[in-house]
């Protein structure tokens, strides 16, 4: 999605917010990336963003620095700031964080009926997307499921950390947008996880959240490196041939 389209609706959000701080700007841009509205390679115009957000360029640049430290955006000398294209090490880092926080949230988080209903609704959306062959909608449902699982922790700090991970995950998903099998394999896997939670079988559900082991995680990162070829600046190009992630090879 072009940056202009991603900026739609920001004005109303600005009116509703009470502070135009660096953290607020970084959070808003991060959420746009996490939602798939700003794709890898999108140039983030200082002039357009500062006008749309009603903030100074200095504040915007500080927000860019925050996001750059999270590997979500990339500064390119004499060219500007772009939404980043993940590297293999970024994929490994996603696993390192998720393997700690998701199983813990599933094992010890609160599970009120409304939380379980929300998880069921996400699975329904994923199945509908699978039946329609919509890769984008399957990716959206997958993102929402991971977020909802971590939200079971009840911790604002953990949720904030997961928001950063979700933004990085979305950048990986963009590189796999033409590989429908990547998401389809995990629709029923995620459905089984939710069913285990509803049945009170938290230990089994925890096993379903665990990302790949160290050896397979390294292999997946290598496969991602091979799948995404010719990273130039902040753009992503897929290598020839689809299906470079067989079922079970990369768990996101």
């Amino acid at each position: 999605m072009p940056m202009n389209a991603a900026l739609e609706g920001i004005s109303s959000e600005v009116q509703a917010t009470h502070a135009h701080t660096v953290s607020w700007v970084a959070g808003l841009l991060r959420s746009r990336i996490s939602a798939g509205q700003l794709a890898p390679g999108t140039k983030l115009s200082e002039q357009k963003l500062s006008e749309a957000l009603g903030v100074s360029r200095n504040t915007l640049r500080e927000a860019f620095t925050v996001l750059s430290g999270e590997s979500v955006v990339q500064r390119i000398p004499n060219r500007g700031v772009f939404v980043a294209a993940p590297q293999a090490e970024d994929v490994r880092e996603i696993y390192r964080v998720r393997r700690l926080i998701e199983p813990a949230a599933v094992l010890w988080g609160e599970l009120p009926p409304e939380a379980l209903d929300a998880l069921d609704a996400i699975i329904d959306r994923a199945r509908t997307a699978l039946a329609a062959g919509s890769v984008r909608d399957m990716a959206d449902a997958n993102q929402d499921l991971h977020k909802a699982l971590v939200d079971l922790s009840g911790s604002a700090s953990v949720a904030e950390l997961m928001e950063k991970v979700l933004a990085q995950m979305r950048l990986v998903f963009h590189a796999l947008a033409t590989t429908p099998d990547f998401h389809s394999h995990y629709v029923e896997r995620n459905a089984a996880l939710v069913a285990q939670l509803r049945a009170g079988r938290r230990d089994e559900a925890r096993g379903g959240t665990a990302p790949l082991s160290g050896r397979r995680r390294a292999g997946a990162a290598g496969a991602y490196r091979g799948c995404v070829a010719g990273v130039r600046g902040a753009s992503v190009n897929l290598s020839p041939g689809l299906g470079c992630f067989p079922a079970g090879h990369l768990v996101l």
Side-chain angles (χ1 to χ4, degrees):
M1 178 182 295
M3 193 188 80
N4 287 345
L7 292 179
E8 292 179 2
I10 283 184
S11 295
S12 60
E13 292 180 37
V14 170
Q15 296 298 323
T17 191
H18 62 277
H20 298 166
T21 63
V22 171
S23 61
W24 175 80
V25 174
L28 189 147
L29 293 176
R30 190 187 299 115
S31 68
R32 285 293 198 272
I33 293 170
S34 178
Q37 296 173 338
L38 290 169
T42 301
K43 184 173 182 178
L44 302 177
S45 166
E46 282 190 8
Q47 179 179 348
K48 291 180 180 179
L49 279 172
S50 62
E51 290 175 356
L53 299 177
V55 299
S56 69
R57 292 198 179 191
N58 283 340
T59 297
L60 185 61
R61 288 166 186 161
E62 289 182 50
F64 286 159
T65 298
V66 171
L67 296 176
S68 177
E70 299 171 6
S71 300
V72 173
V73 303
Q74 178 183 16
R75 293 181 185 273
I76 302 178
N78 303 317
R79 289 184 58 192
V81 177
F82 296 79
V83 178
Q87 305 297 306
E89 179 58 27
D90 298 318
V91 176
R92 296 188 189 97
E93 183 63 13
I94 290 171
Y95 290 138
R96 292 183 188 115
V97 177
R98 283 187 51 218
R99 71 196 296 231
L100 292 175
I101 62 177
E102 286 190 37
V106 164
L107 190 59
W108 294 303
E110 297 293 330
L111 275 176
E114 56 269 24
L116 291 170
D117 291 343
L119 290 170
D120 284 336
I122 293 172
I123 296 302
D124 288 343
R125 285 171 41 213
R127 285 171 168 162
T128 298
L130 176 60
S134 174
V135 177
R136 170 62 183 270
D137 289 344
M138 281 189 282
D140 287 348
N142 191 47
Q143 290 278 92
D144 290 346
L145 180 77
H146 288 298
K147 182 179 186 303
L149 290 175
V150 171
D151 284 347
L152 297 176
S153 70
S155 167
S157 297
V158 173
E160 182 180 354
L161 172 61
M162 189 60 182
E163 188 65 35
K164 299 173 184 179
V165 174
L166 288 171
Q168 294 172 338
M169 286 172 60
R170 179 66 75 171
L171 296 178
V172 174
F173 289 166
H174 274 294
L176 305 170
T178 55
T179 310
D181 282 351
F182 172 72
H183 289 291
S184 64
H185 294 297
Y186 303 112
V187 172
E188 292 307 317
R189 173 192 176 119
N190 290 339
L193 185 156
V194 173
Q196 289 162 350
L197 283 176
R198 187 169 280 283
R201 303 200 305 271
R202 289 186 183 237
D203 281 334
E204 293 177 49
R206 178 185 59 172
T209 66
L212 302 177
S213 64
R215 179 179 297 180
R216 294 185 64 206
R217 186 167 66 251
Y224 178 82
R225 186 189 301 112
C227 181
V228 180
V231 176
R232 294 293 182 269
S235 62
V236 174
N237 300 308
L238 287 178
S239 58
L242 302 180
C244 53
F245 289 95
H249 199 137
L250 181 61
V251 180
L252 285 174

